[in-house]
Amino acid sequence: MRKHRIAAIPGDGIGKEVVAAGVEALSALAALDGGFTLEFEHFDWGSDYYKRTGTMMPADGLEQLKPFDAIYFGSVGAPDLPDHITLWGLRLAICQPFDQYANVRPTRILNGIESPLRNAGVGDLDWVIVRENTEGEYAGQGGRSHRGHPEEVATEVAIFTRAGVRRIMRFAFRTAQSRPRKFLTVVTKSNAQRNGLVMWDEIAAEVALEFPDVTWDKMLVDAMTVRMTMKPRSLDTIVATNLHADILSDLAAALAGSMGIAPTANLNPERQFPSMFEPIHGSAFDITGMGIANPIGTFWSGQMMLEHLGEQAAADRLMRAIEKVAADKGLHTPDLGGSARTADVTAGLIAAL
Ligand code: ATP
């Protein structure tokens, strides 16, 4: 029997509700499969933990997480705490030291889900966005001086390293190569960001030579928003910097029908550290505690986690069940225009499994 140890970090807001649903669904799947077990350990880190202890996670938090095979994460953020504390104190405090440099976000319109794009349906939008996840605009370099004075200054320095850009480009070309269309779009802004992004373009062209079977093109990030909206079929695999992909992937999630559906994986492809899987949505305090959070993004993140753990058959089974649930309007939560509750969707998913 194969055994996988998973650290579950529900975090804040609806993160707690959707991770509970995800753990229930994945446990049921493992029991049905019979070939592997998932051993979940729960960590109550996040904003409530911060209010009790003054830190988002304990000082030895990373040491505690290191032995796990994967991390199943909910969301982080609280209305009464600044975002930079909650984000840097937990999510980024895990992603960066664990070198989860490839953030992967599949986007598809699932059967039964309505896209805000007129006439767009299943198959019109089938993308994988690869986001550089450790440097770029979110490297954390910069500072503030003369606080509160009229001459106050703040800098936010984007960092692009040759090694960092090369490894994300290689990962993106490999991802494109593994998909039927073998087509990659490199998002850039080298017309205005004329140092880091010019190097980004140069390295993309160098790495492309290693992948002669992959076709690729280049898009300025502003024009990319237009192409995603007007010509969604013209895209397949997409690679972008930390900031650009952050924005583009929210657009992608909205175009696919709801923030509640989209999953993401923060991968350390070399497997020196555990990788982390989470829905892309935030804590959504407007609906916290109401029992109506859409758990599909968390189920889909669980599917990506199973793939990463080598449980492809179970991952495929879970994806078919997700598609079945999405297609059933009676199991749509209010964000999809229905009146189902998180618990209904979870029960529906387990029945579909
Ligand atoms: P962040 O933590 O990133 O600041 P947020 O808490 O403001 O995010 P988002 O994730 O950006 O919330 O989502 C925006 C809105 O979309 C939420 O306020 C909520 O109404 C809705 N939403 C997001 N995720 C879900 C979900 N899983 N189920 C139902 N509604 C959702």
Side-chain angles (χ1 to χ4, degrees), residues 79 183 233 318:
F183 177 58
R233 271 180 182 273
L318 178 55

Side-chain angles (χ1 to χ4, degrees), residues 14 76 259-260 281-287 292-294 335:
I14 62 168
V76 69
M259 291 282 291
H281 63 75
S283 323
F285 271 87
D286 51 331
I287 56 163
I292 55 165
N294 187 344
D335 56 303

Side-chain angles (χ1 to χ4, degrees), residues 214-294:
V214 176
T215 315
W216 70 290
D217 65 4
K218 210 165 70 178
M219 271 321 272
L220 293 176
V221 64
D222 40 347
M224 186 67 176
T225 59
V226 180
R227 182 163 163 193
M228 287 168 70
T229 314
M230 306 302 282
K231 291 190 175 157
R233 271 180 182 273
S234 76
L235 294 162
D236 187 81
T237 308
I238 297 160
V239 62
T241 69
N242 213 332
L243 169 69
H244 293 164
D246 188 9
I247 298 165
L248 295 180
S249 58
D250 264 26
L251 172 61
L255 296 178
S258 168
M259 291 282 291
I261 289 177
T264 186
N266 301 282
L267 298 178
N268 172 247
E270 288 74 25
R271 296 174 186 257
Q272 295 152 307
F273 302 99
S275 294
M276 182 157 82
F277 301 83
E278 55 175 339
I280 80 154
H281 63 75
S283 323
F285 271 87
D286 51 331
I287 56 163
T288 296
M290 293 164 69
I292 55 165
N294 187 344

